[in-house]
Amino acid sequence: MIPFAGLALTACGTSVAEHPNVIYIFPDQYRNASLGFWSDPEFAQWVGWRGDPVSTPNLDRFAREATVLSGAVSNCPLSSPHRGMLLSGMYPERSGVVLNCMSERPESSLREDAECISDIFSAAGYDCAYIGKLHVDYPTKNNPQRPGTYVSDAVPEWDAYTPPERRHGFNYWYSYGTYDVHKHPHYWDTEGRRHDVDEWSPQHEISKAIEYIENRSSQRDARKPFFLMLGINPPHSPYASTEDCDLEGYELYRDKSLTELLVRDNADTTMAKAAAARYYFANVSGIDREFGRLMRTLEEAGLTDNTIVIFASDHGETMTSHSTADPKNSIWSESLNIPFLVRYPGRVPHRVDDLLLSTPDIMPTVLGLAGLGDRIPASVEGRDFSAILRQDAVQPERPRAALYLRNLDGERDAAGLVRGFFPEARGVKTPSHTMELCIDRDGRLKRVLMYDDRQDPYQLHNLSPEEHAELFASLCGELAVLLRENNDIWYRNRVLEEWIPYDKE
Ligand code: CA
């Protein structure tokens, strides 16, 4: 027997015993309210809204072993911009991902030279794996099966193949760009081989994650700690029929009325979309079952204590609230607020915290939790809040506000390609209020949204800036600070400077 074999140093100097494994799992469009534990008084006292009537027993158990954030924010609540911020710790203008990635938007793609969370983990001696939906790459004609073509014949192309040089330190790959046929997904593996599968995608991806953790075919270097990101696509749309959803989960909601399912005061059960709630919640419960399977694997492998597990999402889902058909890309809390649960046994105590965590804070916070706070690159614009999660004696100042961004397509060139972006809206979320300013293409104020989230958690009463002038001025002041700190295009162009005090110290 080799003494202290478990403490052996890897080539880069990181030891398995010193640094924990990390699993970051983020189903797409999974809203914070769709977690069963929010209906439990211990958790319900932290939020002003009712939790969805969903069954998530595995996540409920996990929440009682985790720190649960009630107020985590997806600052640009849309798939690609969120993922760019998550991976790079930078706001969209710096990550490169200002719009959703598709073939008509060549300017929206994760910068190849961005130092991403996986680059840092890899350099620190981790084995790094990505499984599932990525959606931060601009689709190009790089189909490994048919060189010189896109990966499918769709126009415009949304799906993308990510070649090794764009994988940012991930050495194990089983991923795709974006593709929404939940029961017939496909993936490209580390070598670029394509796999077409007839299985509900979360189930298949959890099975791949389990194989990776159990290291059945030497997928990973067992001497190293691992960093595993799991980008699950459901409960993302489509959610129109049992073709789109987990059938076991569907049984739980099949016989419930729409008014039993849509319990928020701002839900509109008269919308055609309301019927989607049944399939959306079916997928929520199916994901919970698969998450439970993954946690049992960790337990059986004896890895629970030395593995940080985070459950989150890229943005929420409005699901008929505010009578909007758009599930995301709005400042309303159903879209902006994401689940964020962190379990790290013995290091992160069980509690609920209303920390206003912004998406660019995730990378530095995860690195900080893993003991790699000294490796956070200077390019990162978020902050390391791991000391708050650990409840250290010395903690950083808490954020007073989080920035909200909404960008639309800019002009198109002669070839029909989108050039640049139009920054349609900027806003601010504070512990007590939400405020958004929206402009037209001439830069004039088009709409103001302003809510008192404590008095009005469903954001039913849009407060008028004239009648609440002091509040409006104060929120415009918070917005000015965030836009200036982020060197946002609104700050550089002094957009709405008659309301936003950009230069006031
Ligand atoms: Ca998404």
Side-chain angles (χ1 to χ4, degrees):
M1 184 188 152
I2 305 164
F4 308 113
L7 292 169
L9 292 176
T10 64
C12 297
T14 297
S15 89
V16 176
E18 268 180 79
H19 294 283
N21 306 305
V22 179
I23 299 177
Y24 191 95
I25 174 169
F26 63 120
D28 193 310
Q29 213 157 303
Y30 192 117
R31 70 181 187 182
N32 191 21
S34 285
L35 290 159
F37 60 78
W38 290 122
S39 300
D40 178 312
E42 182 207 339
F43 295 92
Q45 61 179 310
W46 287 86
V47 293
W49 35 262
R50 282 178 72 187
D52 292 328
V54 290
S55 171
T56 56
N58 293 290
L59 283 157
D60 298 351
R61 195 175 311 122
F62 180 78
R64 292 185 179 87
E65 300 165 350
T67 287
V68 177
L69 300 188
S70 57
V73 165
S74 181
N75 306 73
C76 189
L78 189 64
S79 189
S80 305
H82 174 91
R83 291 152 192 267
M85 291 188 282
L86 169 66
L87 290 165
S88 72
M90 292 187 267
Y91 283 86
E93 284 192 74
R94 263 75 62 194
S95 76
V97 195
V98 288
L99 299 163
N100 255 349
C101 299
M102 61 93 153
S103 56
E104 293 177 356
R105 298 172 181 144
E107 290 169 359
S108 193
S109 198
L110 181 62
R111 271 175 38 209
E112 204 167 316
D113 66 344
E115 271 194 279
C116 291
I117 184 168
S118 39
D119 290 311
I120 306 303
F121 273 120
S122 177
Y126 273 66
D127 197 274
C128 297
Y130 197 96
I131 295 175
K133 175 176 178 175
L134 181 71
H135 204 196
V136 289
D137 274 331
Y138 163 60
T140 59
K141 294 177 178 176
N142 67 348
N143 184 345
Q145 278 66 53
R146 284 187 294 146
T149 68
Y150 289 117
V151 294
S152 80
D153 299 323
V155 179
E157 183 58 79
W158 283 82
D159 201 2
Y161 168 66
T162 300
E165 66 271 19
R166 293 190 58 83
R167 292 181 192 161
H168 286 282
F170 287 109
N171 55 281
Y172 175 89
W173 198 256
Y174 194 77
S175 175
Y176 62 99
T178 182
Y179 184 71
D180 293 330
V181 185
H182 299 325
K183 293 188 182 176
H184 304 282
H186 58 246
Y187 309 87
W188 285 271
D189 67 18
T190 309
E191 282 76 36
R193 288 178 300 238
R194 179 175 164 135
H195 302 263
D196 285 83
V197 178
D198 293 319
E199 189 179 14
W200 188 53
S201 60
Q203 195 168 326
H204 183 68
E205 289 154 20
I206 293 291
S207 295
K208 294 302 286 189
I210 287 173
E211 286 172 22
Y212 173 82
I213 291 166
E214 292 181 340
N215 209 17
R216 286 182 205 165
S217 334
S218 300
Q219 287 97 330
R220 61 184 175 88
D221 184 340
R223 295 165 302 176
K224 298 178 170 184
F226 63 80
F227 171 57
L228 166 61
M229 283 192 109
L230 257 166
I232 287 175
N233 195 28
H236 186 284
S237 43
Y239 28 46
S241 77
T242 50
E243 282 304 297
D244 307 318
C245 78
D246 179 68
L247 295 179
E248 209 177 301
Y250 179 67
E251 289 303 312
L252 301 168
Y253 310 100
R254 193 187 61 185
D255 300 324
K256 296 238 162 76
S257 71
L258 295 180
T259 47
E260 284 175 289
L261 292 172
L262 293 166
V263 299
R264 298 176 80 83
D265 287 358
N266 58 12
D268 180 354
T269 54
T270 68
M271 286 180 78
K273 186 183 172 178
R278 210 165 265 134
Y279 309 107
Y280 181 80
F281 292 155
N283 278 338
V284 160
S285 288
I287 287 164
D288 176 78
R289 182 191 65 236
E290 295 304 316
F291 179 77
R293 198 154 67 88
L294 184 66
M295 292 305 101
R296 279 194 299 282
T297 297
L298 272 189
E299 189 67 41
E300 284 159 18
L303 294 172
T304 297
D305 285 349
N306 198 34
T307 303
I308 299 169
V309 178
I310 297 171
F311 183 89
S313 182
D314 61 347
H315 50 76
E317 159 68 61
T318 52
M319 196 49 74
T320 79
S321 286
H322 309 283
S323 304
T324 177
D326 193 340
K328 53 206 166 192
N329 215 11
S330 58
I331 199 169
W332 289 311
S333 67
E334 293 83 3
S335 154
L336 189 80
N337 181 210
I338 54 171
F340 205 87
L341 287 70
V342 183
R343 186 182 76 179
Y344 187 6
R347 307 290 181 94
V348 170
H350 165 57
R351 45 193 280 282
V352 183
D353 194 309
D354 58 5
L355 177 71
L356 264 176
L357 185 82
S358 282
T359 307
D361 301 329
I362 297 174
M363 170 180 172
T365 299
V366 173
L367 289 172
L369 282 177
L372 298 170
D374 56 345
R375 289 180 181 252
I376 297 167
S379 55
V380 164
E381 297 177 295
R383 292 165 62 200
D384 172 5
F385 290 116
S386 59
I388 290 179
L389 294 176
R390 283 187 305 261
Q391 290 286 283
D392 288 354
V394 179
Q395 295 181 16
E397 197 185 330
R398 287 171 173 254
R400 286 197 317 215
L403 181 63
Y404 166 75
L405 311 101
R406 182 169 69 247
N407 298 325
L408 303 180
D409 287 357
E411 302 300 312
R412 283 177 189 263
D413 66 13
L417 298 177
V418 173
R419 291 298 175 190
F421 65 95
F422 167 56
E424 190 194 34
R426 295 293 182 262
V428 63
K429 171 76 187 110
T430 72
S432 55
H433 290 84
T434 295
M435 194 266 295
E436 176 199 281
L437 301 176
C438 176
I439 54 171
D440 63 21
R441 298 237 173 196
D442 296 319
R444 288 176 305 220
L445 183 64
K446 193 163 89 179
R447 186 180 75 171
V448 178
L449 294 179
M450 187 163 65
Y451 302 105
D452 181 337
D453 295 329
R454 288 193 173 137
Q455 298 298 317
D456 177 24
Y458 295 109
Q459 302 173 326
L460 290 162
H461 308 289
N462 188 12
L463 303 175
S464 115
E466 291 77 27
E467 288 170 29
H468 301 86
E470 206 174 310
L471 173 66
F472 182 61
S474 142
L475 292 170
C476 285
E478 293 289 358
L479 180 59
V481 171
L482 293 172
L483 294 170
R484 190 170 58 220
E485 272 177 10
N486 290 290
N487 193 25
D488 185 88
I489 189 169
W490 272 39
Y491 169 70
R492 302 197 305 276
N493 294 344
R494 297 295 196 273
V495 174
L496 301 181
E497 62 184 341
E498 57 273 54
W499 289 283
I500 306 175
Y502 289 111
D503 300 312
K504 195 173 148 196
E505 284 308 316

